[in-house]
Amino acid sequence: MHASETPKNALFTSDFTRNPYPVYEKLRQSDPVVKVMLPNGQTGWLISTYEDAAAVLKDPRFIKDMTKFVGQEHPSVFSKNMLFSDPPDHKRLRGLVQKGFTPQRIESMRDHIQEIADRLLDAVSGKDRLNLIDDYAFPLPIIVISEILGVPTEDQDKFRVWSNSIIEASNQKMGEDVTRHMNEFIAYLKEWFAKVREQPGDDMISELVIAENQGDRLTEEELYGVVTLMIIAGHETTVNLIGNGVLALLEYPEQRKLLQDRPELIQGAVEEMLRYNGPVEFSTSRWASEDLEFRGQLFQRGDLVIVALDAANRDPAQFEDPDLFDITRGKSPHLAFGKGIHLCLGAPLARLEGEIAVNTLLRRFPDFALEGEIGDLEWRPGMIVRGVKEIPLRLS
């Protein structure tokens, strides 16, 4: 095979964005640990098998805080959170928000999330069409996380614009729009925190601001970082879980019929949606903290390491018939929410929102159909999330 024919040359093309799985299959076979050029011009190691992915996600030699060894400030004001930190800072930052996302607290929200789902579908009940993303998959989780945090209802749409900019900047150069949106977001957060300091409520932002005022538990920069992470991670994962999950049901009508006939299978269905076409395609960046050998490759201190989560979740060494969508697959060790100390804190919330959103849609509009072809849908740019911009559905 000539260099121009290697699967890594097919990464990040428009064909790859639409369907990365054939490329991932070849990478797992020929280059499971390979150095690649990322869309932003950086080079880094890409990990594509399940076994290697799980190993990297748990290995403390691969760190999240790049400032530890390059001696520079965080590249973004939003980076000082548990996602980009290592022990002991990681434990301190995660501990501050963990109590807001316990399984018990999330389960107590079930009825309210159901009310939100029904309200959103009530709004389109007299219509022939539904844009699944704009009308349902986006507003449901943004309403939920905004209520948890204390974001005013009238400001929730702003967060979509800001979070999209921050995510799309993850693999692109900082354009004028991205810079402007980030500055708007920082100004908004500053004003919001100031109001909360004067008059705290019983929401999570108030708890975090009060914690900051009680000593060195949270710096102002950490407050920005933690809140930004919760706003973005608190809805982006769920938007694309719902969107990609519904696409899988459209692709596999027999699985859709099975779930409609047996809605009690929804938990296993959501786990399979997360595995089959997960909402987070690549892990956030890790860095080799020292010169080391990994799977026969020599990593140098400071090398960037990226895990292709969706590639690992289609690895036939771990999953039987991995390219088949099967909601009865059973307990799944997928990596859609990561692994190790950085396992997604909001996973219980995303799962519950996905379960309610999908089952409610199937119950309320059992005959919905896609307008057009799945292959014609436009996938979002960026290296972190995997999801389409719009899913137009006919409701009857």
Side-chain angles (χ1 to χ4, degrees):
M1 178 180 283
H2 298 294
S4 61
E5 297 174 303
T6 60
K8 73 175 186 177
N9 288 16
L11 290 165
F12 315 123
T13 63
S14 56
D15 286 344
F16 173 84
T17 301
R18 279 192 294 272
N19 181 15
Y21 296 104
V23 177
Y24 287 149
E25 182 179 3
K26 291 175 181 173
L27 275 178
R28 285 192 305 264
Q29 294 171 359
S30 64
D31 295 297
V33 179
V34 63
K35 207 160 202 180
V36 301
M37 175 78 77
L38 303 179
N40 64 2
Q42 280 184 297
T43 58
W45 294 96
L46 187 67
I47 314 296
S48 56
T49 71
Y50 183 94
E51 183 181 4
D52 293 348
V56 166
L57 295 174
K58 294 189 297 182
D59 193 327
R61 296 176 301 170
F62 298 112
I63 64 173
K64 301 302 295 289
D65 184 358
M66 65 182 291
T67 67
K68 284 185 176 177
F69 55 88
V70 295
Q72 65 185 54
E73 286 299 306
H74 280 278
S76 165
V77 70
F78 307 122
S79 297
K80 290 195 174 181
N81 58 55
M82 53 274 196
L83 189 61
F84 300 104
S85 62
D86 304 299
D89 280 347
H90 173 268
K91 185 176 182 180
R92 175 175 61 88
L93 293 169
R94 189 176 175 105
L96 282 167
V97 297
Q98 193 146 15
K99 60 186 176 182
F101 292 92
T102 62
Q104 296 84 355
R105 187 163 179 178
I106 298 305
E107 183 59 33
S108 73
M109 299 174 64
R110 178 180 290 275
D111 290 345
H112 184 52
I113 296 172
Q114 183 65 63
E115 289 171 9
I116 294 169
D118 281 319
R119 190 167 73 237
L120 291 169
L121 293 182
D122 285 344
V124 297
S125 62
K127 300 179 181 178
D128 294 329
R129 288 170 173 78
L130 165 75
N131 181 334
L132 184 75
I133 302 298
D134 285 349
D135 297 335
Y136 191 50
F138 169 75
L140 188 149
I142 197 69
I143 290 169
V144 173
I145 195 63
S146 295
E147 289 182 357
I148 290 173
L149 295 172
V151 180
T153 305
E154 63 270 18
D155 293 335
Q156 290 171 8
D157 281 346
K158 297 176 186 176
F159 284 93
R160 180 178 202 180
V161 175
W162 292 332
S163 68
N164 277 346
S165 275
I166 293 169
I167 283 176
E168 290 177 12
S170 66
N171 76 324
Q172 297 168 2
K173 291 182 169 62
M174 294 280 285
E176 286 184 18
D177 284 348
V178 173
T179 303
R180 177 168 53 83
H181 290 153
M182 286 186 171
N183 289 336
E184 288 173 0
F185 193 26
I186 292 167
Y188 180 92
L189 292 178
K190 270 189 178 176
E191 186 178 339
W192 186 14
F193 296 159
K195 287 179 184 175
V196 169
R197 287 189 185 99
E198 292 293 321
Q199 196 171 0
D202 58 0
D203 52 77
M204 187 172 287
I205 293 300
S206 297
E207 291 178 12
L208 291 170
V209 168
I210 291 167
E212 177 219 0
N213 288 338
Q214 288 175 345
D216 63 354
R217 294 176 64 198
L218 260 184
T219 66
E220 180 85 3
E221 290 77 17
E222 288 170 343
L223 196 54
Y224 287 134
V226 170
V227 171
T228 303
L229 175 62
M230 286 194 291
I231 290 169
I232 295 174
H235 80 273
E236 280 289 353
T237 302
T238 309
V239 172
N240 299 301
L241 162 58
I242 297 168
N244 296 357
V246 169
L247 287 181
L249 293 176
L250 289 164
E251 187 183 354
Y252 287 84
E254 77 287 352
Q255 294 292 301
R256 171 182 172 175
K257 172 120 183 18
L258 178 60
L259 186 55
Q260 284 176 311
D261 292 343
R262 298 181 58 194
E264 70 274 10
L265 294 176
I266 187 60
Q267 285 190 344
V270 165
E271 295 309 307
E272 181 67 346
M273 291 169 184
L274 288 163
R275 184 204 69 81
Y276 179 73
N277 198 10
V280 182
E281 187 161 4
F282 296 96
S283 70
T284 48
S285 302
R286 283 165 171 76
W287 312 86
S289 62
E290 60 189 59
D291 293 347
L292 59 92
E293 183 179 339
F294 183 82
R295 301 298 192 257
Q297 300 281 15
L298 295 176
F299 289 22
Q300 293 186 327
R301 184 173 184 267
D303 277 359
L304 173 63
V305 184
I306 303 283
V307 174
L309 300 171
D310 281 350
N313 287 336
R314 293 274 193 112
D315 189 343
Q318 181 67 36
F319 302 98
E320 188 175 350
D321 295 324
D323 293 326
L324 186 69
F325 179 72
D326 177 8
I327 67 171
T328 64
R329 189 176 288 273
K331 188 170 175 59
S332 174
H334 66 73
L335 302 176
F337 290 121
K339 199 174 184 68
I341 65 169
H342 291 283
L343 181 72
C344 177
L345 191 61
L349 179 59
R351 284 184 163 106
L352 180 59
E353 290 171 330
E355 291 168 17
I356 291 171
V358 172
N359 257 3
T360 305
L361 179 68
L362 290 170
R363 175 170 48 82
R364 295 282 301 269
F365 299 105
D367 300 320
F368 71 80
L370 183 68
E371 284 199 328
E373 302 295 327
I374 289 179
D376 294 333
L377 296 174
E378 185 180 356
W379 290 84
R380 292 174 60 185
M383 271 196 65
I384 304 298
V385 299
R386 175 160 178 77
V388 291
K389 291 187 175 181
E390 294 183 351
I391 302 177
L393 297 178
R394 292 191 308 275
L395 297 181
S396 60

